[in-house]
Amino acid sequence: MSAPLRRRSERRTPRRPARAGRYRPIAEYYDAEYAALDMLQHDVPFFLGQLPRRRQAILELAVGTARAAIPIAQAGHRVVGIDYAPDLLAIARQKSRVAAIPSRDLALQLADIRKLDLGRTFDWVCIFFNTFLAFPTLAEQDRVLQVARRHLKRSGRLWIDIFHPDLQLLARGPRDTGLDPRVFFVPQFNRTVYQTTDILRDTARQLQDITFHYRWFDEFGAEHHEQRRFAMTYLFPRELVLLLERNGLQLEHLWGNYDGSPLAPTSPRMIARCVRL
């Protein structure tokens, strides 16, 4: 093949961008990044309001920096938190020590929640703050739900909190850039960071290719950039119900927000309480 023909062929088949990977936050940023997010002031109190007064055994999947696990343990429950990111767990352990929570009340463990088998069961299994959507394939979602069911006592409850798809956003087209601008301060680095979000949507596969952009200036005025790129899906209410049922879980209640309101077309959240069948 001559060189000119080879160049024309290459132009007809442009290289596809690399596939977005699994969500992995910048650990030192995580708590500061979400500190001002209003919903995270309400999700744990709403969950605690669903628990009986007696002490519960709770498994949190994707515990992260223990943002939810610590106040749940402080409320008198025994929590086991699982995450695959050792840097997030290191921060969680430090926060737990500062809060003087004994390990019998909050145990943190490194593991892949898709393959987890602790050999014990719990009263509740919890997946907070859109985490379930970070497993974008049906096969991964089935594995996570099967793990959750395997770790539930008979009549135990699963708690899933995800966003309710916004049809107006989905209809805007395949790409959005510069979304959700925010500024946060990272004390560990004495750094003020500006963050924006880009989203590339594939509505045929219900996938979102998300990139978090971070920008800051050092003490010499030099500009720095970091980014995190990952894939997420989104689910509609009937899809969630079907996923639960085929994995041996039954929806008991579906709320649309942390005020206890029922799911409505304009609700921002889908908060599901499910029971093991």
Side-chain angles (χ1 to χ4, degrees):
M1 181 183 290
S2 67
L5 288 176
R6 186 167 59 249
R7 287 195 292 271
R8 284 198 295 271
S9 175
E10 289 169 352
R11 286 197 295 270
R12 287 197 298 270
T13 57
R15 181 179 297 176
R16 293 183 178 181
R19 182 180 177 184
R22 188 174 177 186
Y23 176 56
R24 181 69 178 268
I26 300 173
E28 294 83 3
Y29 287 7
Y30 187 84
D31 287 330
E33 186 175 344
Y34 294 106
L37 195 61
D38 182 68
M39 61 164 283
L40 298 187
Q41 309 304 315
H42 305 287
D43 63 339
V44 174
F46 184 62
F47 169 70
L48 288 172
Q50 301 298 313
L51 301 184
R53 291 187 178 182
R54 66 182 182 277
R55 173 175 286 189
Q56 300 287 285
I58 297 172
L59 172 63
E60 185 184 351
L61 301 179
V63 69
T65 62
R67 176 195 67 84
I70 286 175
I72 293 171
Q74 288 173 325
H77 305 289
R78 288 191 170 170
V79 183
V80 174
I82 307 297
D83 207 283
Y84 82 113
D87 47 359
L88 292 175
L89 285 176
I91 293 173
R93 292 188 177 104
Q94 175 62 22
K95 289 166 62 177
S96 180
R97 286 192 292 269
V98 170
I101 301 174
S103 58
R104 68 176 181 274
D105 292 335
L106 176 55
L108 298 165
Q109 182 172 327
L110 181 69
D112 184 338
I113 67 173
R114 297 169 298 181
K115 305 173 183 177
L116 186 68
D117 189 355
L118 297 176
R120 57 176 291 199
T121 56
F122 297 80
D123 299 302
W124 293 77
V125 175
C126 305
I127 312 174
F128 289 103
F129 188 32
N130 301 327
T131 301
F132 185 67
L133 301 178
F135 298 91
T137 69
L138 289 173
E140 287 180 303
Q141 291 162 10
D142 283 338
R143 284 198 293 270
V144 171
L145 291 176
Q146 288 163 16
V147 164
R149 186 184 186 279
R150 183 165 64 241
H151 288 87
L152 282 173
K153 296 177 180 178
R154 291 187 181 276
S155 73
R157 263 65 179 180
L158 170 67
W159 185 271
I160 294 181
D161 181 0
I162 59 179
F163 66 78
H164 186 206
D166 185 329
L167 297 181
Q168 290 183 338
L169 280 177
L170 293 175
R172 277 166 42 168
R175 185 183 295 274
D176 268 314
T177 59
L179 295 176
D180 300 326
R182 70 181 76 172
V183 176
F184 58 89
F185 180 70
V186 185
Q188 181 174 345
F189 300 143
N190 192 28
R191 177 182 300 169
T192 299
V193 180
Y194 177 66
Q195 179 196 357
T196 58
T197 301
D198 294 348
I199 300 179
L200 181 63
R201 302 182 184 89
D202 183 343
T203 54
R205 297 190 296 159
Q206 287 185 212
L207 288 179
Q208 298 188 115
D209 186 326
I210 298 175
T211 304
F212 288 165
H213 296 279
Y214 303 93
R215 181 163 61 98
W216 78 92
F217 294 87
D218 64 25
E219 64 271 28
F220 303 106
E223 186 172 353
H224 298 266
H225 297 266
E226 286 183 281
Q227 69 177 37
R228 285 293 189 269
R229 183 180 170 210
F230 58 96
M232 288 188 77
T233 188
Y234 50 91
L235 297 173
F236 294 97
R238 286 199 296 181
E239 291 177 303
L240 178 59
V241 171
L242 290 171
L243 272 172
L244 293 167
E245 288 180 349
R246 79 181 192 181
N247 286 286
L249 297 155
Q250 180 177 325
L251 183 69
E252 279 191 324
H253 205 98
L254 188 61
W255 294 277
N257 211 343
Y258 306 114
D259 58 3
S261 56
L263 183 69
T266 57
S267 296
R269 308 298 301 169
M270 291 199 298
I271 308 162
R273 188 184 72 210
C274 324
V275 65
R276 173 185 167 175
L277 296 175

